[in-house]
Amino acid sequence: MRLFSTPLAVLATLAGCATAFNVNCNSNYASYYGQNSARNQKTLGSYCADATEDVIVLAFMNGFPNIILNFANACETTFEGSSLLHCPNIAADIKFCQSKGKAVVLSMGGAAGSYGFSSDSQASQFADTMWNMFFKGTAAQRPFDDAVLDGIDLDIEGGSASGYTAFISQLRTHYASDPSRQYYIAAAPQCPFPDSYLGSTLNSAWIDMVYVQFYNNYCGLNAYPTWFNFADWDNWAKTQSLNKNVKIYIGAPGGPSAASSGYTDGSTLSTIFNAVRSKYTSLGGIMTWDVSQARSSGLAGSIRAMLDAGGSCSNNGGGTTLSTSTTASSSTTASSSNPASTSNTVSTPAYSTASSPSTTTVVSTSSSSSAQPSSSSTPASCPVSGATCSGSQQGCNGQSFALCNQGKWYTSSCTPGTYCYMSGGVATCDWSNGRPTNTCAISGTSSFSKRADLTRSPLITAANLRPKPASAIANIPTRVEFVAGDIVDNKYTTVVKIQANKSAFTGNWLISFKLPAGQTADSTSRGSLGVNGNTITISSDRNAESLQNMAAYFKITGTFSGQYALPDTASAVFIST
């Protein structure tokens, strides 16, 4: 297959040279590529042909340390005899993007996936694997052939929170072995501070860029100026981050359908961005999810314009230095010589124009947490809208969160299906995962502890709430996971997650599994429910489904007697035709 056509090759040659990405600027634009959110995703190289984005984040490596890659319609070929994706077209496009001065990094994690480390040792060993497969090392199978990435991004929204500091430390050791180029570590926490999964890692590892997701939560762009909390992240950058020059990006949905909440049009985003840029020196620019959405909606062009209007670059920053690199760890405070601003030029090869398959991907943005702190004592009263409060208090009242604004409580509802829980002094909307759903707490008046509520109820224990992912019996490689949802009295909600490991499944599918003893199922939020004894079957509604899917999330509700338990994933059978 030809990697480029003659006309495009000529255009690329005429384009000449490009200035390299400079991590120290406050006018950078990062956008995620690979999940086809707008269902019209083009080749990677086509997005790099102009000067809109500065950083492309490939999404995702959604399985590790057992590697699973998923780039939707951008890559569906594998190495012979393996399920590992082999993406020569993306490899060619990575080189093209880099020749245009753009940085290309690989995002690890995502909202749907099977990932996490069991120990620091495992995490360090996986850093070696990453270096060999995606950077300057050598491996028998390299998904992007001889293309070398510019870094990694951690979008950790599930699994264990351990090991990431050790992973970064070891990866930076490898970075230091190649002084010929600049490598980066980025992270993409959700906006509530501190982040439930990455909070400790952000404090103990050397991070270059932080793409804060200011959407799908109370502190999103749609809550500006009252609850929008860029100030918290700026304060972290200056007082807690090992890298005092770390750059914080405003993460925004690329289009109205890119996220459940938080989308703002170009004019509104420009107002917010300019206000932040005038006040906070940690600002690095804007991030969008994802490039297909931002290009389709026209927001990408607006973002480029607002970034270029008054942007600046400092003389020092958080990137890995070109000459030396110091490894940061949790036990020592790292110091690093700051890299000089780079202005080197590079020649421009042509990018791949291989046509993309028509396959599309639907990715759920819901995530569940099983280790988040919560309030374990109840204040005298719940926060009520209009009632008196003090300072910057935050609070929870069931499915509503509350923030103190000029001495009065202002309350708002969480996203449907989630409930308000306190994490430290921060109110956060989250899945219940078996926790009480009538939380009543106010920061400054409650005592906080780790999830003791998991064991308070005689019907709930930590063991039977632990997610149990497993490969399902299926006609395509599929992973199924059950997660505890709402549990009130003898009524339960169980979240069902179906994730394809390699290729997409059609909109015509069914899954069956056995309920634990004492449970009944009454309804499903997706498709139709069939019951045969203790075996239930959920069949998709073909008219409501996408033609191709990489994941399906839904919930079943019913009643239970005795102790609540999750279904056994070993009984799951998934069929797609």
Side-chain angles (χ1 to χ4, degrees), residues 224-301:
Y224 179 86
T226 309
W227 307 326
F228 179 69
N229 67 338
F230 192 96
D232 292 337
W233 291 97
D234 178 77
N235 181 67
W236 166 82
K238 295 171 180 174
T239 63
Q240 293 178 269
S241 173
L242 293 182
N243 177 10
K244 295 302 187 288
N245 295 305
V246 63
K247 290 301 181 182
I248 311 298
Y249 285 58
I250 298 174
S257 63
S260 298
S261 65
Y263 173 74
T264 56
D265 59 26
S267 176
T268 304
L269 181 59
S270 179
T271 298
I272 298 171
F273 176 77
N274 288 329
V276 171
R277 183 155 61 180
S278 67
K279 189 173 183 180
Y280 302 110
T281 57
S282 66
L283 178 68
I286 293 175
M287 172 274 284
T288 55
W289 174 267
D290 66 349
V291 66
S292 68
Q293 289 271 1
R295 290 296 189 106
S296 297
S297 69
L299 185 63

Side-chain angles (χ1 to χ4, degrees), residues 18 23 71 112 172 179 389 445 471 500:
V23 72
F71 303 117
R172 283 206 176 277
C389 56
T445 61
S471 295

Side-chain angles (χ1 to χ4, degrees), residues 92-435:
D93 286 349
I94 289 172
K95 295 178 183 179
F96 173 74
C97 294
Q98 292 168 333
S99 77
K100 302 291 285 185
K102 303 177 191 296
V104 182
V105 304
L106 175 62
S107 185
M108 301 168 57
S114 174
Y115 55 81
F117 301 119
S118 60
S119 65
D120 284 355
S121 175
Q122 184 188 57
S124 295
Q125 291 175 13
F126 189 68
D128 298 337
T129 300
M130 288 292 293
W131 179 256
N132 290 330
M133 292 183 68
F134 298 98
F135 295 94
K136 280 292 188 72
T138 58
Q141 295 179 332
R142 288 176 57 94
F144 304 135
D145 295 332
D146 62 345
V148 178
L149 293 174
D150 296 297
I152 59 99
D153 163 60
L154 295 174
D155 180 13
I156 308 305
E157 301 183 37
S160 170
S162 64
Y164 291 104
T165 298
F167 169 77
I168 292 172
S169 177
Q170 180 65 9
L171 190 56
R172 283 206 176 277
T173 299
H174 288 296
Y175 283 4
S177 71
D178 178 24
S180 68
R181 62 191 299 162
Q182 197 165 0
Y183 297 100
Y184 305 99
I185 303 288
Q190 298 181 60
C191 61
F193 184 87
D195 184 79
S196 298
Y197 294 101
L198 286 172
S200 62
T201 300
L202 292 173
N203 289 340
S204 58
W206 191 272
I207 309 293
D208 301 306
M209 297 169 281
V210 179
Y211 308 137
V212 182
Q213 300 179 45
F214 286 106
Y215 46 89
N216 291 338
N217 225 308
Y218 69 88
C219 42
L221 291 164
N222 56 318
Y224 179 86
T226 309
W227 307 326
F228 179 69
N229 67 338
F230 192 96
D232 292 337
W233 291 97
D234 178 77
N235 181 67
W236 166 82
K238 295 171 180 174
T239 63
Q240 293 178 269
S241 173
L242 293 182
N243 177 10
K244 295 302 187 288
N245 295 305
V246 63
K247 290 301 181 182
I248 311 298
Y249 285 58
I250 298 174
S257 63
S260 298
S261 65
Y263 173 74
T264 56
D265 59 26
S267 176
T268 304
L269 181 59
S270 179
T271 298
I272 298 171
F273 176 77
N274 288 329
V276 171
R277 183 155 61 180
S278 67
K279 189 173 183 180
Y280 302 110
T281 57
S282 66
L283 178 68
I286 293 175
M287 172 274 284
T288 55
W289 174 267
D290 66 349
V291 66
S292 68
Q293 289 271 1
R295 290 296 189 106
S296 297
S297 69
L299 185 63
S302 298
I303 289 173
R304 185 70 269 163
M306 71 182 76
L307 289 169
D308 290 343
S312 64
C313 300
S314 60
N315 291 323
N316 55 8
T320 306
T321 174
L322 293 172
S323 57
T324 60
S325 176
T326 303
T327 300
S329 69
S330 58
S331 58
T332 60
T333 301
S335 61
S336 170
S337 54
N338 294 315
S341 299
T342 55
S343 59
N344 50 300
T345 59
V346 285
S347 60
T348 308
Y351 65 87
S352 165
T353 57
S355 58
S356 298
S358 58
T359 323
T360 59
T361 298
V362 176
V363 176
S364 167
T365 55
S366 305
S367 63
S368 58
S369 167
S370 58
Q372 192 168 327
S374 66
S375 173
S376 61
S377 63
T378 304
S381 61
C382 288
V384 177
S385 184
T388 302
C389 56
S390 60
S392 58
Q393 285 184 309
Q394 298 185 23
C396 290
N397 188 346
Q399 282 191 284
S400 298
F401 59 88
L403 294 176
C404 189
N405 182 30
Q406 297 182 345
K408 300 290 184 181
W409 283 116
Y410 191 99
T411 63
S412 186
S413 298
C414 292
T415 301
T418 63
Y419 298 86
C420 183
Y421 298 98
M422 298 299 295
S423 175
V426 179
T428 304
C429 295
D430 194 9
W431 293 98
S432 69
N433 284 335
R435 289 174 285 180

